[in-house]
Every structure is written in structure tokens, then in C-alpha cells.
């Protein structure tokens, strides 16, 4: 088999793994959109905030230590203990649920039946607030996240592909774990959305807030529920991305790559988030491999957005999204 084809196959497989990581962030966007009909700009920052909180709790860091030291002249750093990864994850999830309750109480309940653009602008403000809060609580330095996930190249895949093809594929163990987790999340969220009472209530709220209220659906409970689930998805995404590249404030920018993923898969489709992520991930790697050298490289920075633009022109609802027809 020609070396060029082997290299392309390896690039494509790594692209699929990267696409799964994009899809983990996109899932949170889909959940919020399905329940409120608005694009949640803050989802990427939720992943950042969850990862920062997880590292802070796990390492026993004192929240707001920098602020407290500046005011009191003290030297607080940590509580002097470190928690097991599982305990820290559970406590962080509790923080994300508490955050969902606070968001509903202080923001969402005042915006019932408002235009989608109002809700969208509220999520923009929320994103910048949470980014600043995370900075003040845990500091702006790059943090290492280690919850025991496997790291490094998968030796089994490398050896099997070397025996079969004469060339060993380098696939990261963390990417494989992320793929398994993403599939499990999609299956669970799809079942929840389609077959549970709360899932049907989510769709009713997305269609019409006032109509949902009139049939006894608690809009406040639904929003707390869906933001809690989105917080859990953000925590998973934050763990994967944080373990891969460290917890830093650029982590919130992965939301920008999740946007074309949603345009391809459809804003209302949970499986579509995965399919869109796989297409974007593999497409950008193969495009960079074949076309990048001819035009100077760095095509991964813009390929996803060009592909999303083409979808907006020819299929604006995405591959799995619902076509909305309004009659006047």
C-alpha cells in the first residue's frame, strides 16, 4: 500500500477522534437549543468553568485565594489536602447543578416567553461573567488535569496496523476513551429525550413556553434540569480537553469549532452532533493533508467554517435538523 495512502488513513483516523472531542462540546449546545430554542453561547465557557472547578477541588485549592490575599494580605493557597479524582468529579457536578439553579433563578426566570435574541444575548453576558468568575476563583494560570485517564499512543492499534499494513498508526488512548464516552452520552441522551416524560417536556418547552406552562409543565424545573445536564456534558468535555491540552482559558474557544459541527449535524439533533463532529474532524485533517501543502497550510483554522457556510447555503437545517416552515 502506498505510503501516502497510509498517512492519509492515519490522519483520517486522528481526525475522527478529534471530531468526537468537538462533538462533546456540541452536545451541550444541542441540549439547550432543544429546550429553549436559543443558541447557548456560554456552553464553551461552561466546559472551561467545570474543568477549572474540578482541578481546584481535586487539588484542595482555596476559592478566591488571590482576591482574599489581596484584601487581607494573607498567603492562602490550598487547604493542604488532595481529593481522589472520582470524589472531585462528583463534587464538581454538584457545583454545576448549583450553578444551573442560580442561572435559572437570576436570569432565565425573568426571560420567559422573550424573543430568542434576548435569550441569546443573555447567554453571551453569562459566558463572559463565568469566564471572569473562573479567573477570580481559581486563577488564570494553566493547570494540569489528571483524573487517571490513559494517555499516550495505543500500543495495540500501533502493533496491529504495523503487522497488517506495514505501518503503525499513532492513535492516542485519550481520544479512544473520548470516543467511547461520546457514544455512551449520545445513546443516553437520545433515550432520555425520546422516551422519558422529562424529555417530552423539554420539546414542549422549546416549541412554546406559554403553551407548556398552560398544560402544567414547570418551566423553571425544566430549565434547571436541562442546564444541569448541559453542565454535566460540559464537565465531560472539560475533562477530555483539559486532560489533553491542560486547563487554560483558551479552552472556552472550542465553542467556536462546535458551531460548524452544529450547522452540519443540525441544531436539534443529538446524534447529529456526533456525525457533524466526525465530518468536521476527519474533513479538516484530510484537507490539511492533501490540500494544505499546496496553499501554505493552516487550513484547519478555516476549513470547518467554509464547510458550514456551504451547508447554510444548500441545506440550512443540517443533515439531521428539523426543517422549519412558517406560513404567512
Amino acid at each position: 500500500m502506498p505510503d501516502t495512502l497510509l498517512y492519509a488513513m492515519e490522519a483520517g483516523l486522528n481526525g475522527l477522534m478529534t471530531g468526537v472531542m468537538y462533538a462533546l462540546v456540541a452536545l451541550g449546545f444541542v441540549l439547550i437549543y432543544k429546550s429553549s430554542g436559543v443558541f447557548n453561547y456560554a456552553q464553551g465557557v461552561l466546559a472551561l468553568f467545570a474543568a477549572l472547578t474540578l482541578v481546584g477541588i481535586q487539588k484542595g485549592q482555596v476559592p478566591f485565594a488571590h482576591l482574599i490575599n489581596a484584601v487581607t494580605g494573607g498567603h492562602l493557597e490550598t487547604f493542604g489536602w488532595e481529593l481522589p479524582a472520582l470524589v472531585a468529579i462528583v463534587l464538581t457536578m454538584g457545583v454545576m447543578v448549583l450553578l444551573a439553579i442560580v442561572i435559572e433563578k437570576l436570569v432565565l426566570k425573568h426571560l420567559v416567553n422573550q424573543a430568542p435574541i434576548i435569550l441569546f444575548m443573555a447567554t453571551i453576558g453569562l459566558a463572559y461573567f463565568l469566564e471572569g468568575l473562573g479567573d477570580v476563583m481559581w486563577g488564570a494560570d494553566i493547570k494540569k488535569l489528571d483524573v487517571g485517564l490513559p494517555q499516550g499512543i495505543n500500543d495495540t492499534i500501533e502493533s496491529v496496523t504495523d503487522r497488517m499494513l506495514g505501518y503503525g498508526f499513532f492513535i492516542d488512548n485519550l481520544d479512544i476513551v473520548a470516543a467511547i464516552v461520546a457514544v455512551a452520552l449520545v445513546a443516553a441522551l437520545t433515550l432520555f429525550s425520546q422516551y422519558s416524560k422529562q424529555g417530552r417536556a423539554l420539546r414542549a418547552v422549546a416549541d412554546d413556553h406559554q403553551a407548556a406552562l398552560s398544560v402544567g409543565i414547570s418551566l423553571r424545573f425544566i430549565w434547571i434540569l436541562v442546564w444541569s445536564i448541559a453542565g454535566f456534558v460540559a464537565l465531560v468535555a472539560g475533562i477530555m480537553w483539559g486532560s489533553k491540552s491542560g486547563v487554560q482559558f483558551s479552552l472556552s474557544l472550542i465553542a467556536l469549532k462546535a458551531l460548524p459541527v452544529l450547522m452540519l449535524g443540525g441544531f436539534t439533533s443529538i446524534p447529529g452532533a456526533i456525525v457533524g463532529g466526525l465530518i468536521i474532524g476527519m474533513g479538516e485533517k484530510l484537507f490539511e493533508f492533501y490540500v494544505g501543502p499546496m496553499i501554505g497550510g493552516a487550513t484547519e483554522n478555516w476549513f470547518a467554517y467554509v464547510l458550514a457556510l456551504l451547508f447554510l447555503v444548500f441545506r440550512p437545517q443540517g443533515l439531521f435538523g428539523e426543517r422549519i416552515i412558517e406560513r404567512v
Side-chain angles (χ1 to χ4, degrees), residues 218-248:
S218 172
L219 187 59
R220 298 187 63 180
F221 171 76
I222 290 298
W223 268 347
I224 291 174
L225 175 63
V226 74
W227 277 80
S228 297
I229 297 174
F232 172 71
V233 174
L235 174 58
V236 174
I239 290 173
M240 297 303 172
W241 280 102
S243 299
K244 189 179 184 69
S245 56
V247 180
Q248 49 192 312

Side-chain angles (χ1 to χ4, degrees), residues 4-321:
T4 302
L5 181 58
L6 289 173
Y7 298 153
M9 290 172 62
E10 182 182 12
L13 283 175
N14 278 288
L16 289 175
M17 298 294 102
T18 302
V20 169
M21 302 284 274
Y22 294 153
L24 284 174
V25 181
L27 282 173
F29 288 105
V30 171
L31 287 170
I32 300 295
Y33 191 84
K34 284 175 72 69
S35 67
S36 63
V38 67
F39 177 77
N40 174 30
Y41 186 84
Q43 186 63 33
V45 182
L46 278 178
L48 167 66
F49 185 81
L52 286 171
T53 303
L54 175 58
V55 174
I57 291 176
Q58 186 178 11
K59 295 186 178 301
Q61 185 177 345
V62 178
F64 303 103
H66 295 290
L67 182 60
I68 295 172
N69 291 338
V71 173
T72 65
H75 300 282
L76 288 174
E77 292 293 339
T78 68
F79 290 111
W81 42 258
E82 291 192 14
L83 293 176
L86 183 59
V87 175
I89 290 172
V90 172
L91 291 176
T92 303
M93 189 58 227
V95 172
M96 300 307 291
V97 172
L98 179 62
L99 180 64
I101 295 172
V102 172
I103 290 172
E104 190 282 328
K105 186 174 182 62
L106 298 182
V107 180
L108 298 179
K109 81 171 185 178
H110 302 290
L111 301 177
V112 174
N113 214 34
Q114 293 294 321
I117 186 62
I118 302 297
L119 285 166
F120 174 65
M121 294 301 294
T123 66
I124 292 178
L126 182 63
Y128 287 106
F129 172 78
L130 288 176
E131 189 166 349
L133 179 63
D135 187 359
V136 173
M137 284 184 68
W138 307 112
D141 56 310
I142 299 176
K143 298 172 175 60
K144 181 181 179 181
L145 176 59
D146 183 9
V147 294
L149 295 178
Q151 303 277 355
I153 303 301
N154 187 281
D155 295 331
T156 302
I157 293 178
E158 182 184 4
S159 61
V160 169
T161 53
D162 187 42
R163 287 198 303 269
M164 295 177 62
L165 304 173
Y167 175 78
F169 288 177
F170 295 146
I171 306 296
D172 197 295
N173 282 310
L174 182 61
D175 292 336
I176 296 174
V177 173
I180 295 172
V181 170
V183 170
L185 271 178
V186 168
L189 292 173
T190 300
L191 291 174
F192 173 80
S193 177
Q194 296 296 325
Y195 299 107
S196 71
K197 180 180 178 180
Q198 290 80 8
R200 292 190 292 271
L202 289 180
R203 299 198 299 273
V205 169
D207 289 339
D208 191 317
H209 292 174
Q210 292 294 351
L213 286 169
S214 68
V215 296
I217 296 175
S218 172
L219 187 59
R220 298 187 63 180
F221 171 76
I222 290 298
W223 268 347
I224 291 174
L225 175 63
V226 74
W227 277 80
S228 297
I229 297 174
F232 172 71
V233 174
L235 174 58
V236 174
I239 290 173
M240 297 303 172
W241 280 102
S243 299
K244 189 179 184 69
S245 56
V247 180
Q248 49 192 312
F249 276 75
S250 61
L251 182 63
S252 63
L253 298 180
I254 59 176
L256 299 179
K257 191 58 73 73
L259 183 56
V261 169
L262 293 169
M263 292 177 182
L264 264 66
F267 277 84
T268 58
S269 173
I270 292 174
I274 293 293
V275 175
L278 295 178
I279 293 174
I280 291 292
M282 184 171 67
E284 67 180 16
K285 294 293 185 183
L286 292 178
F287 192 84
E288 173 69 22
F289 180 80
Y290 282 111
V291 182
M294 293 185 282
I295 59 177
T299 63
E300 292 183 43
N301 295 329
W302 53 262
F303 170 81
Y305 303 98
V306 173
L307 184 60
L309 179 61
L310 294 175
F311 264 78
L312 285 176
V313 172
F314 296 105
R315 191 178 174 85
Q317 75 273 23
L319 294 173
F320 301 95

